[in-house]
Amino acid sequence: MQRGFRDRDYVETREGFFFTVVGNIHPDDRVLAYLKYVKSEAGKWGRGESKYQRAIEQYTIPHLMGTFDFLRKNAPQYLFHSDVHNITFSAVPLREMSKHYLPEDRLAELLEKKELDLLEKNTVELTRILSEESNVPINSFGVTGSLLVGVHQIRFSDIDLTVYGRENSSAVRKTLLSLFENRKKELTRFKGKILRDWCEWKARLYPVTQHEADRIYQRKWNRGLFKNILFSIHPTKTESEVSEKYGERRYTPIQMVEVKARVVDSTDAMFLPATYIIENVEMLSGQRVQGVREIVSFEGLYGDLASEGEEVFARGKLEKVENSRTGETYYRVFVGSTEAKGSDYIKLASWR
């Protein structure tokens, strides 16, 4: 099956903007993506003589909306009103794209490269460890983030990896949890001051307390330290795992709601968007409807948070979903909308 645009790919535009691809489902003529880097003489990132600064400082909805303001003033061709999702989001038309960066190709380059800088060397070493320990082929991994587009800086850049496929991602999750417990000192979870700082940071950015942020991190398997370098791993579906075409489902916003529900399937909670199939839904605020089937989060903080059988509280945008292929109509709670402006969340009921 032909390689399409996948979550965490990057695309570069004619004027040198770098966008990060969001999800695997896109219109035929453009790619849904958020603005990540723009050229700037004061930028901290760079390659050759070109310097770049981050357009999005934090991965939150308020900061994302800031990139929309930038594009509205400087490059409105990258703002796109979707009649499918009933939202305005950033997207790169194919005609404006100068390059499509594939994480697996960048990793292959690093594996063959004879001279690596320290960050590249540690990225290759971490990927080899994960591949060997999990028995996931190394060509099922990729490198994303600043390393993908070659603007990384050894002093402060992180290691950001992708792993492709549901089975591969599950194997890497199991392996990494084991490595945290049993393996080398250089591969560790956040602890001490690093963990406290992470929790304080999340509590400033999201509607969670520091204690709740700590509980969230205890369930995070895909973030840690390798030789004191921050790393993240991002499960990504392959084309064979995504049968949906853009426009098959249409989403109509209703209003903000709060719900309590029991998770019955969290198979897709590790991906973006994180999807939780739910039942026993109790509408706590907002319009009462029947047929709420899902909680879907585009906020990575809430990915892989709840397991089957656990009860959750969620605040988000209630949407009616109409599937033209199956004729089904149902509702979902969308976490990570611009309407919520960062006030939405998913929390475990057991925390209360």
Side-chain angles (χ1 to χ4, degrees):
M1 188 172 293
Q2 184 178 359
R3 171 67 156 82
F5 292 95
R6 297 178 182 173
D7 188 49
R8 302 282 174 173
D9 289 357
Y10 273 57
V11 294
E12 184 177 1
T13 66
R14 297 174 185 270
E15 60 272 80
F17 293 166
F18 289 112
F19 284 78
T20 306
V21 176
V22 177
N24 291 51
I25 303 172
H26 305 277
D28 291 337
D29 64 341
R30 69 193 66 223
V31 180
L32 302 174
Y34 62 84
L35 182 61
K36 181 67 179 289
Y37 297 109
V38 296
K39 288 185 177 180
S40 169
E41 292 184 0
K44 297 191 300 181
W45 289 262
R47 59 178 180 180
E49 296 182 356
S50 298
K51 293 183 179 180
Y52 297 83
Q53 69 178 22
R54 284 179 60 157
I56 183 168
E57 289 298 322
Q58 307 291 346
Y59 299 114
T60 65
I61 296 304
H63 284 89
L64 177 67
M65 293 170 71
T67 67
F68 296 168
D69 292 337
F70 173 87
L71 291 172
R72 195 170 288 113
K73 294 175 183 177
N74 298 282
Q77 67 270 27
Y78 299 122
L79 285 178
F80 169 63
H81 181 76
S82 170
D83 294 330
V84 169
H85 292 94
N86 275 290
I87 60 171
T88 296
F89 195 76
S90 48
V92 179
L94 300 184
R95 66 178 182 275
E96 300 289 344
M97 192 181 303
S98 64
K99 187 171 181 179
H100 177 196
Y101 291 82
L102 280 60
E104 65 271 32
D105 285 357
R106 176 60 168 149
L107 177 59
E109 288 178 10
L110 295 181
L111 291 170
E112 295 295 326
K113 192 176 177 182
K114 292 183 179 180
E115 294 186 9
L116 301 172
D117 64 37
L118 184 59
L119 188 67
E120 293 171 337
K121 180 180 178 182
N122 286 324
T123 298
V124 168
E125 185 177 350
L126 174 59
T127 309
R128 288 191 188 278
I129 290 172
L130 294 175
S131 175
E132 291 167 4
E133 296 289 340
S134 66
N135 291 317
V136 171
I138 202 162
N139 61 6
S140 292
F141 290 87
V143 176
T144 187
S146 60
L147 263 169
L148 172 57
V149 294
V151 301
H152 62 283
Q153 298 297 300
I154 297 173
R155 291 182 293 108
F156 55 80
S157 291
D158 302 339
I159 298 172
D160 300 305
L161 302 178
T162 56
V163 56
Y164 294 113
R166 180 177 283 107
E167 289 187 6
N168 289 339
S169 298
S170 295
V172 171
R173 174 173 56 186
K174 181 179 179 181
T175 295
L176 191 52
L177 288 171
S178 176
L179 291 174
F180 281 145
E181 294 294 328
N182 305 310
R183 184 61 188 262
K184 306 171 181 179
K185 292 181 180 178
E186 74 258 26
L187 188 60
T188 63
R189 294 176 62 82
F190 296 167
K191 55 187 176 183
K193 184 179 185 303
I194 292 177
L195 178 57
R196 290 194 300 272
D197 289 347
W198 188 88
C199 293
E200 290 175 5
W201 174 43
K202 295 303 180 184
R204 288 197 301 270
L205 295 176
Y206 297 91
V208 298
T209 65
Q210 291 183 36
H211 180 62
E212 289 170 336
D214 182 82
R215 290 191 166 200
I216 289 172
Y217 183 73
Q218 299 314 315
R219 297 205 169 202
K220 288 288 181 191
W221 61 271
N222 62 333
R223 294 185 181 274
L225 295 168
F226 180 67
K227 295 187 176 180
N228 294 318
I229 300 172
L230 296 173
F231 76 83
S232 63
I233 300 174
H234 304 280
T236 304
K237 291 183 179 180
T238 62
E239 284 69 24
S240 64
E241 295 172 322
V242 181
S243 59
E244 181 181 347
K245 303 297 183 184
Y246 182 82
E248 280 185 2
R249 300 188 201 208
R250 292 187 172 269
Y251 305 89
T252 303
I254 308 297
Q255 66 175 141
M256 298 301 296
V257 297
E258 293 177 279
V259 303
K260 180 181 180 182
R262 186 168 73 91
V263 175
V264 295
D265 187 345
S266 60
T267 305
D268 281 354
M270 71 172 71
F271 300 106
L272 189 74
T275 301
Y276 299 93
I277 309 301
I278 55 175
E279 65 177 14
N280 297 342
V281 180
E282 181 182 353
M283 306 294 294
L284 302 178
S285 70
Q287 182 173 329
R288 270 65 172 169
V289 298
Q290 299 295 319
V292 181
R293 293 188 190 176
E294 301 173 341
I295 299 170
V296 176
S297 176
F298 276 87
E299 290 279 17
L301 183 68
Y302 306 118
D304 240 1
L305 180 61
S307 300
E308 287 85 353
E310 293 188 303
E311 291 189 323
V312 297
F313 290 100
R315 182 178 193 273
K317 178 175 66 172
L318 181 68
E319 293 183 319
K320 181 170 72 171
V321 183
E322 297 172 283
N323 189 322
S324 61
R325 182 162 55 89
T326 66
E328 291 181 295
T329 298
Y330 62 94
Y331 295 87
R332 73 177 189 175
V333 178
F334 180 101
V335 177
S337 69
T338 55
E339 293 92 330
K341 298 180 180 179
S343 67
D344 44 3
Y345 59 79
I346 302 172
K347 299 180 181 182
L348 295 183
S350 60
W351 294 351
R352 297 191 177 183

